[in-house]
Amino acid sequence: MTEQSMSRRSFVKTSGALAGLAAAGGTAVASQELFSAGEAHAADADTIAWSQCNVNCGGNCIFQWHVRDGKVAYMETDNTGDADFQARACLRGRSMRRWLNNADRLMYPMKRVGKRGEGKFERISWDEAIQTIADQLEYTYKTYGPNSIYIMNGTGTYFSMSKVGHRLLSLAGGYVSKLYDYSTHQLSAAMPYMFGFDEELGSVFSPYDNVNASSFTEAEQHSDLIVMFGNSPADTRMGGANATWDFARAREGVKSRGGKVVNIDYRMNESASGHADEWLPIRTGTDAALCAALIHEFIKDGKADLNFLHTYCVGFDEETMPESAKGKNKSFYAYIMGEGYDMVEKTPEWAAPITQIPASRIRELAKDLESAKAPFVCQGWGPQRHSNGEDTSRMISMVPVVLGQIGLPGTNTGQREAEPPVYLVGNIPFKNPNKTQLPVYQYLNAVDHGKKMTALNSGILGADELGTDLKFLWNFAGNCLTNQHGDVNKTHEILADESKCEFILVWDTVMTDSAKYADILLPDMMRSEVLNMQTQGYSEYYTGVTVGGPAQEAPGECRNSYDVCADIAEKLGFRDEYTEGRSYEEWVEYLYNKGRDAAADPVEGYGINMPTWDQIRKDGVFKMECEPAIGLEDFRNDPVANPLGTPSGKIEIYSETLATIAETWELEEDEEIHAIPMFWAGPEGYGSVTSEYPLYCSGFHYKSRTHSSFGFIEELKQACRQQMWINPIDAESRGIANGDMCLVSSPAGKMQIEAKVTERIIPGTIGIPQGAWHDADMDGDKIDKGGCVNTLTTYRPTPLAKGNGPAHSIIAQVAKA
């Protein structure tokens, strides 16, 4: 999302557009003298330095650092322009100063002196660190080739110069690119087969645009029913310009028209909290079963829009099945009505014991959807993060599709709310000569047995096989080596084996669990310690850019990652090609002006008049509102002129491409890929609990962290304690009271965690906030005291995406510790 990207959709609200705004209090950031961190302290008392919260919640809330005597004294957030349009920071962002000035900051380059994962390092010079990295790169390219080098998924900081490592490795010989991401792994892999994957044929699906999904602002204006599957912006996207603000206005708009909101989740999340009537509890991982039963009712009640389904879709019933599948009862209708596949009719009575939702309540929701004039159906990214997530994500979209309620005012396609259509500035450019792509969740398998991994058994794209194990891992601002991956114990065993991956470079600001596995550990600067530039976040439905800083000097010997990569490039003999003669600050200015020129183009851009460089350095902030968007509106208006990028150009409920994949890929005996969306329990899904592990368990995103970012801030840990949610029914039978310390066990590992006994979670399922920092004696009992949910997840990539479905598909037992 940090690449400059402009869709063709008309989106910009031009009235009142410019909100490049003078700094509060009449003081503004000086320009050139603040390019150097060493000169920041020269500013007068209470000079303001603009910056942002650059972590990956989807928002980039705006900061005003008040600088006094060269140090940040305190922080204000966005107070510019209309009070209804301010990117104000949430509780996490407002604690950023405690991260910035934390005593645990990494300050010197270090090399490992203990075993991998032990966390033992000694200080070295920058010269030694840079020479070691350059030597290891040369050795790895020469010995194993570019398919042995991988840049880990890292989203701990978003800014316009975050891809300096990608640029370096692209010039050095290339690397294996990541495919998908940990947030939308299953959805990103499966949904294109339904909504488009070939841009030469038509529009292509992305979870990060406003073409395939509608905005909450559209719901605010025209919807009369919002149905949310596992979607809680109040937990994850909390900033003042983020989705939770748009959702609050959408709720008010819908209710003002006599409508309502239904929030389907296994726990009463923060978006439903205070609105208990909106919560519809469901067993985790069974959303697809609920959708099947809802659609059964639509068909039975004569509310399936056959005209829409026969015009815009392939595979709903026999009339629109492709020739290869005709006459075989393989349609979606046959599955729902019990005429094909498992020959089971998907009635509410069938779904009730699976979902724990009474049949009468399912029928009530079906009636609500049938009678709504403009139902806005959306899903968060939690339901797809199950072992059956590839089917679940498609099945949720089938609810509005069967009703013919997509592409119309107030409706949605079943996706998460639309994301902004434009990013005004791009990232530092690079062109990776290596075309091999690896699903992010497969990195550990590629370390362990990459030479055996192929396109057909591992989901590799761009090459038939990997051909080698991963030998060099580049990990910048990320905690996915261990903490945010799956099965921490298994991950530890593989990474600790130095005969497998031969070199791990980690670059961070504090000692994360992943950092403990570094061979060379580099101290990074915070965004407030350099000139920072970044756009709005990808879940903030506006467009803008913030430029400012540095606010204060970085501690110790922290260096700018661009400068360090330039020094590595010099060792490798291509410094001039890497820098193109520009300093870090000159690159930022270059990227801003390049984006400004592109935005102003009335044909290729949008005729947006961004401030000049000098003006944005004075103002700090430029922002504009976006027009509401209706997902797949162009396709709905004219499907011939605006086809989808599927082989048929239509919504492929039945995908021949998926049918071929199911026949040709090498799958395990209990793995399934389906040509139509259906309910499939999946490993450690519904029905898999045992006498040893009688509870279902799921992770969820938590207010105090963005994934694992902020996980070490004591004030946030106290405000939002790391607790296991458990229903009183399950707690009482185990003698567990609120606040008791418990031992949670799964087939993958064990953890100790405090109990939160609450009726806000459905019986039979426990919930654990994800992102807590792993804390275990890995040479001892391996019991995690930190409450990291990935201690409990098994490492088993999903059949199609090869993704992190086990993140929310866990079976477990709980006992009082």
Side-chain angles (χ1 to χ4, degrees), residues 422-445:
V422 64
Y423 297 87
L424 293 175
V425 297
N427 213 299
I428 189 169
F430 60 92
K431 188 174 183 179
N432 183 8
N434 186 6
K435 303 305 177 187
T436 306
Q437 293 179 281
L438 179 73
V440 292
Y441 200 58
Q442 288 279 41
Y443 105 84
L444 190 67
N445 277 333

Side-chain angles (χ1 to χ4, degrees), residues 17 79 107 111-112 120 134 161 215 244 297 347 389 393 401 496 510 618 622 630 657 700 707 717 740 813:
N79 56 10
M107 295 196 289
K111 68 178 180 183
R112 177 173 59 86
K120 294 182 178 178
M161 292 287 283
S215 61
T244 192
E297 293 304 287
T347 63
S393 57
V401 165
V510 290
K618 178 181 178 182
F622 173 77
I630 302 173
T657 309
F700 64 89
H707 308 301
K717 291 168 73 171
D740 282 348
Q813 176 60 297

Side-chain angles (χ1 to χ4, degrees), residues 133-148:
I133 295 166
D135 290 346
Q136 197 65 36
L137 279 172
E138 284 191 318
Y139 160 78
T140 307
Y141 277 118
K142 181 179 179 180
T143 308
Y144 302 107
N147 270 7
S148 66

Side-chain angles (χ1 to χ4, degrees), residues 100 137 165 173 176 460 520 697-698 720:
L100 184 69
L137 279 172
V176 176
I460 291 170
I520 292 291
C697 175
S698 180
C720 307

Side-chain angles (χ1 to χ4, degrees), residues 149-316:
I149 297 175
Y150 182 66
I151 298 181
M152 293 292 299
N153 190 70
T155 61
T157 180
Y158 279 92
F159 61 108
S160 62
M161 292 287 283
S162 62
K163 302 294 186 183
V164 295
H166 295 72
R167 181 175 174 85
L168 176 79
L169 295 184
S170 293
L171 292 170
Y175 57 90
V176 176
S177 298
K178 75 179 182 73
L179 179 62
Y180 316 124
D181 55 50
Y182 284 81
S183 294
T184 65
H185 209 311
Q186 285 63 242
L187 185 149
S188 288
M191 206 66 84
Y193 295 104
M194 187 169 172
F195 289 111
F197 58 86
D198 188 336
E199 61 183 5
E200 294 185 2
L201 298 176
S203 69
V204 172
F205 175 83
S206 169
Y208 304 109
D209 65 24
N210 73 341
V211 175
N212 289 278
S214 304
S215 61
F216 268 145
T217 51
E218 176 60 27
E220 175 194 357
Q221 294 190 10
H222 298 114
S223 294
D224 57 349
L225 174 66
I226 296 177
V227 178
M228 309 170 76
F229 288 84
N231 191 4
S232 180
D235 282 285
T236 56
R237 311 183 294 285
M238 299 189 292
N242 218 323
T244 192
W245 174 238
D246 295 333
F247 169 64
R249 291 187 296 183
R251 172 191 276 137
E252 292 175 1
V254 166
K255 291 193 173 182
S256 72
R257 288 185 285 275
K260 63 181 180 181
V261 176
V262 180
N263 197 313
I264 302 164
D265 204 338
Y266 74 94
R267 66 186 189 96
M268 183 192 286
N269 57 51
E270 291 299 289
S271 299
S273 179
H275 305 270
D277 59 309
E278 297 179 358
W279 183 38
L280 180 58
I282 186 173
R283 189 197 309 277
T284 183
T286 64
D287 301 79
L290 170 61
C291 294
L294 292 172
I295 293 167
H296 177 275
E297 293 304 287
F298 302 160
I299 295 171
K300 183 177 70 66
D301 295 341
K303 298 297 183 181
D305 188 338
L306 294 180
N307 182 51
F308 174 85
L309 291 163
H310 291 165
T311 303
Y312 293 87
C313 304
V314 167
F316 174 71

